[in-house]
């Protein structure tokens, strides 16, 4: 286990070579104390304690003859690997919008004209503008959003920019840690 390093591995190999059982037990407990100090304190202390003893047994190839204070579970080949999650591989025309927005636009195409479709169109258009802003602030253009909606829906749904009003774009703090200069 690379997170413990060569020194811990060498200590465990040394502990395996100790003939006196009591001395070997004390050595194993010291090794566990070192391994515990190397672990980050996340979660339950009892769970971490059990995990460190499991790691000790695993690194020792389960050949360290000591009295373990916890029940040891075998790690590695004995455990079943989880099934692979299939990833939907579908082509996205405009990556800045993503697959979900494309599905929403397809749903818009199928919906009959009415208040429900108008509300969904409003939500989708505002999300598209927000996505353009996040993707590239310079490319954010209301005309582009309107033309992309028309292209996705093959002209069945259009956004009239003379009557439609976009919501203000929600700006997020910069990710690079720099502050913006005020003009």
């Amino acid at each position: 286990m690379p997170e413990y390093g060569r020194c811990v591995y060498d200590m465990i190999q040394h502990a395996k070579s100790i003939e006196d059982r009591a001395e070997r037990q004390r050595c194993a407990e010291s090794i566990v104390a070192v391994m515990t100090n190397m672990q980050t304190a996340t979660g339950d202390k009892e769970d971490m304690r059990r995990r460190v003893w499991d790691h000790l047994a695993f690194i020792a190839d389960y050949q360290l003859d000591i009295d373990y204070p916890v029940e040891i579970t075998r790690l590695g080949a004995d455990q079943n690997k989880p099934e692979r999650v299939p990833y939907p591989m579908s082509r996205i025309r405009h990556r800045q919008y993503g697959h979900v927005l494309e599905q929403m636009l397809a749903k818009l195409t199928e919906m009959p004209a009415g208040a429900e479709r108008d509300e969904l169109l409003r939500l989708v258009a505002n999300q598209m503008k927000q996505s353009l802003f996040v993707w590239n602030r310079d490319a954010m253009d209301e005309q582009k959003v309107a033309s992309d909606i028309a292209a996705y829906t093959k002209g069945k749904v259009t956004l009239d920019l003379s009557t439609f009003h976009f919501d203000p774009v929600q700006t997020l703090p910069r990710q690079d840690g720099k502050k913006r200069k005020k003009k």
Side-chain angles (χ1 to χ4, degrees):
M1 300 185 88
E3 60 263 25
Y4 294 113
R6 179 60 60 183
C7 291
V8 171
Y9 177 78
D10 290 340
M11 288 190 286
I12 292 171
Q13 296 308 313
H14 172 72
K16 286 170 58 175
S17 68
I18 297 174
E19 300 212 8
D20 181 30
R21 185 174 175 85
E23 180 66 26
R24 190 170 49 240
Q25 182 72 35
R26 280 195 304 275
C27 184
E29 289 171 1
S30 298
I31 294 169
V32 165
V34 169
M35 292 169 72
T36 304
N37 285 338
M38 296 173 98
Q39 292 283 325
T40 55
T42 57
D44 183 10
K45 286 192 178 217
E46 184 61 33
D47 181 49
M48 185 177 74
R49 182 173 172 255
R50 179 178 294 115
R51 187 173 56 238
V52 171
W53 281 102
D54 286 343
H55 291 174
L56 173 74
F58 177 75
I59 294 171
D61 293 327
Y62 303 100
Q63 296 174 358
L64 187 59
D65 185 25
I66 58 170
D67 296 324
Y68 290 97
V70 295
E71 184 178 334
I72 299 300
T73 56
R74 288 195 170 261
L75 304 173
D78 297 357
Q79 294 178 337
N80 295 330
K81 289 184 179 179
E83 290 183 26
R84 187 175 181 150
V85 177
Y87 187 76
M89 297 301 291
S90 61
R91 180 149 168 69
I92 301 172
R93 281 200 274 183
H94 298 287
R95 293 177 66 196
Q96 68 267 23
Y97 298 136
H99 185 68
V100 174
L101 264 174
E102 285 186 351
Q103 288 178 328
M104 297 301 290
L105 287 163
K107 180 73 174 170
L108 262 173
T109 306
E110 299 168 1
M111 291 177 75
E116 188 176 358
R117 182 173 119 176
D118 292 342
E119 180 62 20
L120 183 59
L121 176 60
R122 185 187 71 76
L123 293 171
V124 167
N126 282 311
Q127 182 58 45
M128 288 173 77
K129 184 176 176 184
Q130 182 72 37
S131 295
L132 280 175
F133 178 77
V134 170
W135 188 270
N136 182 0
R137 293 177 184 197
D138 297 331
M140 184 183 66
D141 181 26
E142 294 173 355
Q143 182 60 41
K144 177 161 177 42
V145 171
S147 65
D148 285 346
I149 289 173
Y152 270 110
T153 61
K154 297 179 183 160
K156 293 181 182 175
V157 178
T158 57
L159 188 65
D160 184 13
L161 291 177
S162 62
T163 60
F164 185 81
H165 298 288
F166 285 95
D167 294 342
V169 174
Q170 296 176 0
T171 58
L172 300 173
R174 293 176 62 109
Q175 298 297 322
D176 57 5
K178 296 179 182 176
K179 293 183 179 180
R180 287 188 181 168
K181 292 182 181 178
K182 292 185 179 179
K183 292 184 179 182

